[in-house]
Amino acid sequence: MTGLKKREAVFSHPYLLLLLGCLLLYILFPNGNSNNVLDARANGCLAALLAGGAVCVFLRKKALSPPQSRRSADVDPVRLVMMLCIAVCILCAAYLYFSSPFQLEILTLCGLLLLLGIGVHLHTGHRLNARWVCILLGAAAFLLRGVYILYTTYLTRQHDVTPIDTDYGHQAYILYFVNHAFQLPNFSPTSVWEFYHPPFYYFTSALWVKLQLLFGAETAVAMENVQFLTLFYSCAAVIVSYKILRACGFEGSALVVSFAVLCFHPSLILLAGSINNDMLCILFSLSAILYTLRWYQTPTRKNILLLAVCIGLAMMTKSSGALVAPAAAVLFLVKLGKEKAQRQMLWRQYAAFFAVCVPLGLWWNIYGKLRFGVPFGSFSGLTTDNPQYLGGFSAAQRLWGIDWQHLSVFENWDWQNHIFEYNLWIALLKTSLFDEATLFNNGPGLFGAQALFWINLLLVAVSLVCMVLTAVFAVRGRKHLPRGWNTGAARVQVLYFAVLYVTFLLFYVWFCFSAPYACTQSFRYIVPTVLIGSAGMGSILERTRQVPRRLQKATTGVCAALCAVFCLLSTFVYLLAGMYPLQ
């Protein structure tokens, strides 16, 4: 095994590496960090890690290179210039690091530049491939999410989270398990705000909080550190998304571009710091998508049972986890119609699926119905006298109206003057990037946020066009698909993602009208559509990648450039949001 392959083999256990990374971050910042100035302990640990890493890299490289090559190697002028530039950057960064109050953000920026330097080094050595690019993108995604949770407190940019001394909200649900020996609530779940949710996320979070309390942490600090769990969930979702893109058959630029969007999409950065059940539900939903594709490609009992567990746990985390089920059911029916000789085996697999999925996904609703008489799907609703109520706007206004008097890239969310976003599509675009927060009022941060909004709008338009073209090419047949793709399998895959996409969009529209409040117009309810849009763009890029014509090259270049600008702006905005916090 060559040195490069050995280094790639290290990343064959991504979830373990992610867990170690989260634990390392917790060791460095056990009390969270909201003031941007690193203490002596964190600085010392970081210095020790950097020094130890540098020594290990040096010794490893010295051991791998033969003595004669070390003595007679010619000096590469390009690499020499690169080394000098990196040295200058390190000196400048060191000066800024120790003289600036924004050490956390500068440290993250240095980490991102280091990853870029590794990529350039691999490229000049002709060793940079799509897998390595995705590894570096994944590491950058971890750094960006890590700094976000460190400068974001558990009360900042949250949904229905209140201080720990209150008895309602997501944090109260977690602390209920901590303070009541992990017993289920002995009252109607709809009688306390947010307690109607299934308990899986809150139970696991309570275990983490309880463990910290046993080691002497304060309750507020323990609750703050729940963000390390959501950090893990968000980064694990990125890993699962990579596996989905690989299961779709993407390689090269198609894989890199579609994966980069997922790594730097602001919705997954924001949810990495959210003390609620959204991110864990998204992780299980994406896992269900992965195992649906794997089961259809290889219909084994193991794959269908893993699919059942993922859907069941998604529903046990949040009721909307059931949204991935209709598309899976369509594939079940397609498989049953195609594999006539295997129908008996398939029926047994379906029976095993329901035996696992139904109890996991529905036990909470059954428990609430039998013990407290709570109807299925009930939740704690707001009243019509709430300022967020949008029932006074017509359906046309909700779908097509524009509030010309309050134009902003941030969602209109003004409690004092009762001004809220009412167009559900505009709210969807805004909350996908900034949630319900106003990150900046002026300066470069506002400029970056505005640029990110319009670039994202272009990216959404491109992904929609790509999804439509993918469906058209799949219908037209083999000669319009990438080489090596099976026509029947491609059509089924397109059908699956189309049903999935329509299911999420119909749910979003239904939810906005059935509960007409500003808070229901949030992209966090349909985050998996980012994956579907990226997959649509990736399928077109996979086709153009294999056809070396001028138009196809231009298409790849435009998509790659648009994605690169999107990623850079997302990084810029969310580093600046920590340096100059407004909300």
Side-chain angles (χ1 to χ4, degrees), residues 263-523:
C263 287
F264 289 89
H265 200 278
S267 62
L268 292 172
I269 298 173
L270 288 160
L271 288 172
S274 295
I275 307 296
N276 62 25
N277 53 355
D278 286 322
M279 194 62 247
L280 184 58
C281 180
I282 292 167
L283 172 59
F284 285 133
S285 298
L286 293 174
S287 300
I289 295 171
L290 173 64
Y291 282 106
T292 301
L293 296 174
R294 285 186 174 177
W295 173 83
Y296 188 83
Q297 295 166 356
T298 310
T300 62
R301 182 178 298 179
K302 173 187 174 183
N303 283 337
I304 202 167
L305 288 178
L306 288 171
L307 170 60
V309 170
C310 290
I311 295 180
L313 290 177
M315 295 173 65
M316 206 203 302
T317 303
K318 194 170 185 176
S319 298
S320 59
L323 294 175
V324 295
V330 169
L331 256 62
F332 284 4
L333 293 175
V334 171
K335 198 71 171 177
L336 197 63
K338 284 191 171 186
E339 305 289 342
K340 296 181 180 180
Q342 302 292 328
R343 283 183 176 177
Q344 189 175 1
M345 179 269 292
L346 289 174
W347 281 117
R348 287 197 297 267
Q349 288 193 7
Y350 297 164
F353 172 85
F354 283 105
V356 173
C357 183
V358 172
L360 279 176
L362 296 179
W363 74 267
W364 173 250
N365 292 281
I366 295 172
Y367 169 78
K369 177 66 176 177
L370 293 179
R371 184 167 182 185
F372 305 107
V374 177
F376 276 49
S378 294
F379 57 91
S380 304
L382 299 173
T383 58
T384 56
D385 60 350
N386 191 292
Q388 291 189 55
Y389 183 67
L390 303 175
F393 294 96
S394 66
Q397 287 177 303
R398 298 291 309 282
L399 291 170
W400 318 117
I402 299 177
D403 187 357
W404 295 104
Q405 294 181 341
H406 305 95
L407 293 179
S408 171
V409 295
F410 304 114
E411 187 178 22
N412 291 322
W413 197 268
D414 187 347
W415 285 94
Q416 186 175 1
N417 299 309
H418 294 190
I419 299 172
F420 294 92
E421 204 76 52
Y422 57 81
N423 184 304
L424 56 91
W425 302 119
I426 294 177
L428 193 67
L429 289 170
K430 292 180 177 181
T431 56
S432 70
L433 299 176
F434 314 113
D435 201 38
E436 297 165 354
T438 299
L439 297 181
F440 309 100
N441 279 334
N442 49 48
L446 180 61
F447 174 78
Q450 291 171 337
L452 179 60
F453 178 84
W454 293 110
I455 289 294
N456 177 67
L457 190 61
L458 284 175
L459 199 60
V460 170
V462 169
S463 65
L464 288 173
V465 171
C466 288
M467 286 190 286
V468 172
L469 289 176
T470 300
V472 171
F473 291 153
V475 171
R476 293 179 68 178
R478 180 186 296 274
K479 64 180 180 179
H480 298 282
L481 295 171
R483 287 193 298 269
W485 282 29
N486 179 276
T487 304
R491 287 173 177 171
V492 171
Q493 190 170 290
V494 168
L495 174 64
Y496 173 71
F497 281 116
V499 173
L500 197 64
Y501 196 77
V502 170
T503 301
F504 276 104
L505 283 186
L506 288 178
F507 166 77
Y508 174 74
V509 174
W510 169 82
F511 193 36
C512 287
F513 281 102
S514 63
Y517 299 94
C519 59
T520 60
Q521 300 178 144
S522 179
F523 185 77

